[in-house]
Amino acid sequence: MNILDQLNQDMKDAMRSRDKQRLSVIRSVKSSLQNESINKGQELTDDEILTVLNREMKQRKESLHEFEQADRQDLVIKTNAEIQVLSEYMPSQLSDEELRQIVHETIEQVGAQSKSDMGKVMGAIMPKVKGRADGSEVKQLVHQSLS
């Protein structure tokens, strides 16, 4: 079952169980997927769906950070619940050790020597870890490895 089918099934289940929070998040994601599909003029591939899910997750994490700084606990709780629902559709995250291994292998493949090669390394790593690791975390590991 692909991600879109899973979203449709979970939306029906949320409607039946009257889970407004879950239903709201799923509808929001489906709306973003529909908009992206219209922009592309074709059905989305699983990879493109994953890109949209990553964007949705990133937006919510940024909002969470802002809400925490503003000391809005009501919005922090709501956003955390949304992130939890979204995380169910994301691929499993890489462990720190797996991520370090990928960074190390990619640096060797690219032949990076210094921080000036960071762009080449990041360009090679990101497709490998798409949806399975946070970009800022990858950037930090690459930065440390090239230092």
Side-chain angles (χ1 to χ4, degrees):
M1 180 180 288
N2 70 18
I3 297 170
L4 196 54
D5 292 339
Q6 185 66 44
L7 281 167
N8 288 327
Q9 183 61 43
D10 289 349
M11 186 170 80
K12 290 175 190 175
D13 293 343
M15 282 184 208
R16 286 185 192 114
S17 66
R18 301 188 196 290
D19 187 347
K20 291 180 182 178
Q21 175 76 31
R22 185 175 188 78
L23 183 59
S24 173
V25 173
I26 293 171
R27 282 183 172 158
S28 172
V29 169
K30 283 184 53 82
S31 174
S32 295
L33 291 170
Q34 184 68 30
N35 289 338
E36 189 72 18
S37 178
I38 290 169
N39 289 340
K40 295 235 183 236
Q42 62 187 23
E43 292 294 316
L44 298 178
T45 64
D46 282 343
D47 198 38
E48 292 167 332
I49 290 172
L50 188 58
T51 300
V52 173
L53 286 172
N54 278 329
R55 187 178 332 132
E56 290 289 315
M57 182 69 88
K58 184 176 180 181
Q59 287 173 351
R60 282 170 175 79
K61 285 183 178 179
E62 289 171 356
S63 296
L64 180 65
H65 180 69
E66 294 295 321
F67 295 149
E68 286 172 342
Q69 286 183 334
D71 198 30
R72 291 289 311 267
Q73 288 304 312
D74 56 330
L75 295 175
V76 168
I77 292 167
K78 179 179 183 264
T79 306
N80 271 327
E82 290 177 4
I83 288 171
Q84 188 173 357
V85 171
L86 270 177
S87 65
E88 294 174 20
Y89 302 101
M90 304 293 288
S92 61
Q93 297 294 300
L94 293 170
S95 70
D96 288 340
E97 188 58 40
E98 291 170 321
L99 190 56
R100 280 191 183 90
Q101 182 67 28
I102 291 172
V103 167
H104 181 70
E105 289 171 0
T106 306
I107 288 173
E108 288 180 5
Q109 288 173 353
V110 173
Q113 301 293 323
S114 66
K115 290 181 185 177
S116 63
D117 297 325
M118 192 156 173
K120 287 193 286 187
V121 175
M122 289 299 291
I125 287 179
M126 290 314 288
K128 294 179 184 178
V129 299
K130 186 174 192 170
R132 300 184 312 153
D134 183 44
S136 60
E137 188 178 334
V138 174
K139 180 181 175 187
Q140 183 180 4
L141 281 173
V142 171
H143 187 70
Q144 289 173 354
S145 297
L146 292 177
S147 295

PDB file of all heavy atoms in Angstrom, residues 19-36:
ATOM      1  N   ASP A  19     -11.894  11.428  15.210  1.00  0.00           N
ATOM      2  CA  ASP A  19     -10.607  11.951  15.670  1.00  0.00           C
ATOM      3  C   ASP A  19     -10.295  13.217  14.867  1.00  0.00           C
ATOM      4  O   ASP A  19      -9.695  13.181  13.797  1.00  0.00           O
ATOM      5  CB  ASP A  19      -9.518  10.897  15.462  1.00  0.00           C
ATOM      6  CG  ASP A  19      -8.182  11.298  16.061  1.00  0.00           C
ATOM      7  OD1 ASP A  19      -8.010  12.486  16.417  1.00  0.00           O
ATOM      8  OD2 ASP A  19      -7.318  10.412  16.170  1.00  0.00           O
ATOM      9  N   LYS A  20     -10.741  14.351  15.397  1.00  0.00           N
ATOM     10  CA  LYS A  20     -10.647  15.622  14.664  1.00  0.00           C
ATOM     11  C   LYS A  20      -9.201  16.038  14.412  1.00  0.00           C
ATOM     12  O   LYS A  20      -8.887  16.558  13.342  1.00  0.00           O
ATOM     13  CB  LYS A  20     -11.390  16.722  15.419  1.00  0.00           C
ATOM     14  CG  LYS A  20     -12.885  16.519  15.426  1.00  0.00           C
ATOM     15  CD  LYS A  20     -13.575  17.631  16.175  1.00  0.00           C
ATOM     16  CE  LYS A  20     -15.075  17.372  16.192  1.00  0.00           C
ATOM     17  NZ  LYS A  20     -15.792  18.397  16.945  1.00  0.00           N
ATOM     18  N   GLN A  21      -8.348  15.853  15.385  1.00  0.00           N
ATOM     19  CA  GLN A  21      -6.938  16.248  15.235  1.00  0.00           C
ATOM     20  C   GLN A  21      -6.283  15.480  14.092  1.00  0.00           C
ATOM     21  O   GLN A  21      -5.668  16.063  13.208  1.00  0.00           O
ATOM     22  CB  GLN A  21      -6.191  15.972  16.552  1.00  0.00           C
ATOM     23  CG  GLN A  21      -4.698  16.229  16.495  1.00  0.00           C
ATOM     24  CD  GLN A  21      -4.380  17.698  16.545  1.00  0.00           C
ATOM     25  OE1 GLN A  21      -5.101  18.471  17.146  1.00  0.00           O
ATOM     26  NE2 GLN A  21      -3.308  18.098  15.904  1.00  0.00           N
ATOM     27  N   ARG A  22      -6.413  14.186  14.106  1.00  0.00           N
ATOM     28  CA  ARG A  22      -5.822  13.329  13.074  1.00  0.00           C
ATOM     29  C   ARG A  22      -6.421  13.641  11.705  1.00  0.00           C
ATOM     30  O   ARG A  22      -5.708  13.738  10.718  1.00  0.00           O
ATOM     31  CB  ARG A  22      -6.048  11.871  13.448  1.00  0.00           C
ATOM     32  CG  ARG A  22      -5.396  10.882  12.543  1.00  0.00           C
ATOM     33  CD  ARG A  22      -5.602   9.469  13.104  1.00  0.00           C
ATOM     34  NE  ARG A  22      -4.840   8.522  12.368  1.00  0.00           N
ATOM     35  CZ  ARG A  22      -3.532   8.324  12.507  1.00  0.00           C
ATOM     36  NH1 ARG A  22      -2.859   9.019  13.381  1.00  0.00           N
ATOM     37  NH2 ARG A  22      -2.899   7.441  11.777  1.00  0.00           N
ATOM     38  N   LEU A  23      -7.721  13.805  11.662  1.00  0.00           N
ATOM     39  CA  LEU A  23      -8.406  14.111  10.412  1.00  0.00           C
ATOM     40  C   LEU A  23      -7.919  15.434   9.832  1.00  0.00           C
ATOM     41  O   LEU A  23      -7.671  15.541   8.628  1.00  0.00           O
ATOM     42  CB  LEU A  23      -9.922  14.150  10.638  1.00  0.00           C
ATOM     43  CG  LEU A  23     -10.795  14.386   9.419  1.00  0.00           C
ATOM     44  CD1 LEU A  23     -10.574  13.298   8.380  1.00  0.00           C
ATOM     45  CD2 LEU A  23     -12.258  14.438   9.835  1.00  0.00           C
ATOM     46  N   SER A  24      -7.735  16.412  10.670  1.00  0.00           N
ATOM     47  CA  SER A  24      -7.259  17.721  10.227  1.00  0.00           C
ATOM     48  C   SER A  24      -5.862  17.633   9.605  1.00  0.00           C
ATOM     49  O   SER A  24      -5.600  18.217   8.550  1.00  0.00           O
ATOM     50  CB  SER A  24      -7.241  18.687  11.412  1.00  0.00           C
ATOM     51  OG  SER A  24      -6.646  19.895  11.057  1.00  0.00           O
ATOM     52  N   VAL A  25      -4.972  16.898  10.251  1.00  0.00           N
ATOM     53  CA  VAL A  25      -3.607  16.744   9.738  1.00  0.00           C
ATOM     54  C   VAL A  25      -3.612  16.002   8.405  1.00  0.00           C
ATOM     55  O   VAL A  25      -2.948  16.415   7.443  1.00  0.00           O
ATOM     56  CB  VAL A  25      -2.708  16.007  10.760  1.00  0.00           C
ATOM     57  CG1 VAL A  25      -1.345  15.700  10.167  1.00  0.00           C
ATOM     58  CG2 VAL A  25      -2.562  16.832  12.027  1.00  0.00           C
ATOM     59  N   ILE A  26      -4.379  14.921   8.319  1.00  0.00           N
ATOM     60  CA  ILE A  26      -4.423  14.132   7.089  1.00  0.00           C
ATOM     61  C   ILE A  26      -5.011  14.959   5.947  1.00  0.00           C
ATOM     62  O   ILE A  26      -4.500  14.941   4.827  1.00  0.00           O
ATOM     63  CB  ILE A  26      -5.206  12.822   7.305  1.00  0.00           C
ATOM     64  CG1 ILE A  26      -4.429  11.911   8.264  1.00  0.00           C
ATOM     65  CG2 ILE A  26      -5.450  12.118   5.979  1.00  0.00           C
ATOM     66  CD1 ILE A  26      -5.196  10.678   8.714  1.00  0.00           C
ATOM     67  N   ARG A  27      -6.068  15.708   6.232  1.00  0.00           N
ATOM     68  CA  ARG A  27      -6.648  16.565   5.195  1.00  0.00           C
ATOM     69  C   ARG A  27      -5.657  17.617   4.729  1.00  0.00           C
ATOM     70  O   ARG A  27      -5.574  17.922   3.539  1.00  0.00           O
ATOM     71  CB  ARG A  27      -7.923  17.233   5.709  1.00  0.00           C
ATOM     72  CG  ARG A  27      -9.107  16.311   5.694  1.00  0.00           C
ATOM     73  CD  ARG A  27     -10.346  17.024   6.146  1.00  0.00           C
ATOM     74  NE  ARG A  27     -11.523  16.191   5.963  1.00  0.00           N
ATOM     75  CZ  ARG A  27     -12.650  16.355   6.628  1.00  0.00           C
ATOM     76  NH1 ARG A  27     -12.758  17.316   7.527  1.00  0.00           N
ATOM     77  NH2 ARG A  27     -13.672  15.545   6.397  1.00  0.00           N
ATOM     78  N   SER A  28      -4.913  18.180   5.651  1.00  0.00           N
ATOM     79  CA  SER A  28      -3.904  19.181   5.299  1.00  0.00           C
ATOM     80  C   SER A  28      -2.831  18.583   4.386  1.00  0.00           C
ATOM     81  O   SER A  28      -2.441  19.189   3.386  1.00  0.00           O
ATOM     82  CB  SER A  28      -3.262  19.727   6.581  1.00  0.00           C
ATOM     83  OG  SER A  28      -2.178  20.546   6.289  1.00  0.00           O
ATOM     84  N   VAL A  29      -2.381  17.403   4.724  1.00  0.00           N
ATOM     85  CA  VAL A  29      -1.357  16.734   3.917  1.00  0.00           C
ATOM     86  C   VAL A  29      -1.914  16.387   2.537  1.00  0.00           C
ATOM     87  O   VAL A  29      -1.261  16.604   1.513  1.00  0.00           O
ATOM     88  CB  VAL A  29      -0.839  15.463   4.635  1.00  0.00           C
ATOM     89  CG1 VAL A  29       0.011  14.623   3.713  1.00  0.00           C
ATOM     90  CG2 VAL A  29      -0.055  15.851   5.875  1.00  0.00           C
ATOM     91  N   LYS A  30      -3.126  15.859   2.506  1.00  0.00           N
ATOM     92  CA  LYS A  30      -3.736  15.517   1.225  1.00  0.00           C
ATOM     93  C   LYS A  30      -3.921  16.759   0.355  1.00  0.00           C
ATOM     94  O   LYS A  30      -3.724  16.708  -0.853  1.00  0.00           O
ATOM     95  CB  LYS A  30      -5.080  14.806   1.440  1.00  0.00           C
ATOM     96  CG  LYS A  30      -4.909  13.354   1.850  1.00  0.00           C
ATOM     97  CD  LYS A  30      -6.216  12.623   1.978  1.00  0.00           C
ATOM     98  CE  LYS A  30      -7.095  12.708   0.788  1.00  0.00           C
ATOM     99  NZ  LYS A  30      -6.852  11.812  -0.302  1.00  0.00           N
ATOM    100  N   SER A  31      -4.266  17.868   0.975  1.00  0.00           N
ATOM    101  CA  SER A  31      -4.413  19.128   0.240  1.00  0.00           C
ATOM    102  C   SER A  31      -3.068  19.558  -0.360  1.00  0.00           C
ATOM    103  O   SER A  31      -3.006  19.969  -1.529  1.00  0.00           O
ATOM    104  CB  SER A  31      -4.946  20.212   1.179  1.00  0.00           C
ATOM    105  OG  SER A  31      -4.968  21.458   0.531  1.00  0.00           O
ATOM    106  N   SER A  32      -2.010  19.457   0.420  1.00  0.00           N
ATOM    107  CA  SER A  32      -0.676  19.802  -0.084  1.00  0.00           C
ATOM    108  C   SER A  32      -0.266  18.880  -1.230  1.00  0.00           C
ATOM    109  O   SER A  32       0.320  19.328  -2.214  1.00  0.00           O
ATOM    110  CB  SER A  32       0.365  19.707   1.037  1.00  0.00           C
ATOM    111  OG  SER A  32       0.111  20.669   2.020  1.00  0.00           O
ATOM    112  N   LEU A  33      -0.592  17.603  -1.092  1.00  0.00           N
ATOM    113  CA  LEU A  33      -0.276  16.638  -2.158  1.00  0.00           C
ATOM    114  C   LEU A  33      -1.069  16.965  -3.424  1.00  0.00           C
ATOM    115  O   LEU A  33      -0.531  16.906  -4.540  1.00  0.00           O
ATOM    116  CB  LEU A  33      -0.573  15.211  -1.701  1.00  0.00           C
ATOM    117  CG  LEU A  33       0.342  14.644  -0.627  1.00  0.00           C
ATOM    118  CD1 LEU A  33      -0.201  13.336  -0.091  1.00  0.00           C
ATOM    119  CD2 LEU A  33       1.754  14.469  -1.156  1.00  0.00           C
ATOM    120  N   GLN A  34      -2.331  17.316  -3.255  1.00  0.00           N
ATOM    121  CA  GLN A  34      -3.168  17.666  -4.402  1.00  0.00           C
ATOM    122  C   GLN A  34      -2.627  18.920  -5.098  1.00  0.00           C
ATOM    123  O   GLN A  34      -2.558  18.969  -6.326  1.00  0.00           O
ATOM    124  CB  GLN A  34      -4.618  17.894  -3.950  1.00  0.00           C
ATOM    125  CG  GLN A  34      -5.580  18.177  -5.078  1.00  0.00           C
ATOM    126  CD  GLN A  34      -5.786  16.967  -5.982  1.00  0.00           C
ATOM    127  OE1 GLN A  34      -5.689  15.829  -5.536  1.00  0.00           O
ATOM    128  NE2 GLN A  34      -6.051  17.215  -7.240  1.00  0.00           N
ATOM    129  N   ASN A  35      -2.252  19.936  -4.312  1.00  0.00           N
ATOM    130  CA  ASN A  35      -1.688  21.158  -4.892  1.00  0.00           C
ATOM    131  C   ASN A  35      -0.405  20.869  -5.663  1.00  0.00           C
ATOM    132  O   ASN A  35      -0.186  21.411  -6.750  1.00  0.00           O
ATOM    133  CB  ASN A  35      -1.428  22.201  -3.808  1.00  0.00           C
ATOM    134  CG  ASN A  35      -2.695  22.801  -3.249  1.00  0.00           C
ATOM    135  OD1 ASN A  35      -3.747  22.780  -3.889  1.00  0.00           O
ATOM    136  ND2 ASN A  35      -2.608  23.324  -2.041  1.00  0.00           N
ATOM    137  N   GLU A  36       0.432  20.038  -5.099  1.00  0.00           N
ATOM    138  CA  GLU A  36       1.687  19.672  -5.766  1.00  0.00           C
ATOM    139  C   GLU A  36       1.406  18.913  -7.058  1.00  0.00           C
ATOM    140  O   GLU A  36       2.062  19.131  -8.078  1.00  0.00           O
ATOM    141  CB  GLU A  36       2.545  18.826  -4.832  1.00  0.00           C
ATOM    142  CG  GLU A  36       3.941  18.560  -5.332  1.00  0.00           C
ATOM    143  CD  GLU A  36       4.852  19.775  -5.292  1.00  0.00           C
ATOM    144  OE1 GLU A  36       4.542  20.749  -4.588  1.00  0.00           O
ATOM    145  OE2 GLU A  36       5.884  19.741  -5.987  1.00  0.00           O
TER     146      GLU A  36
END
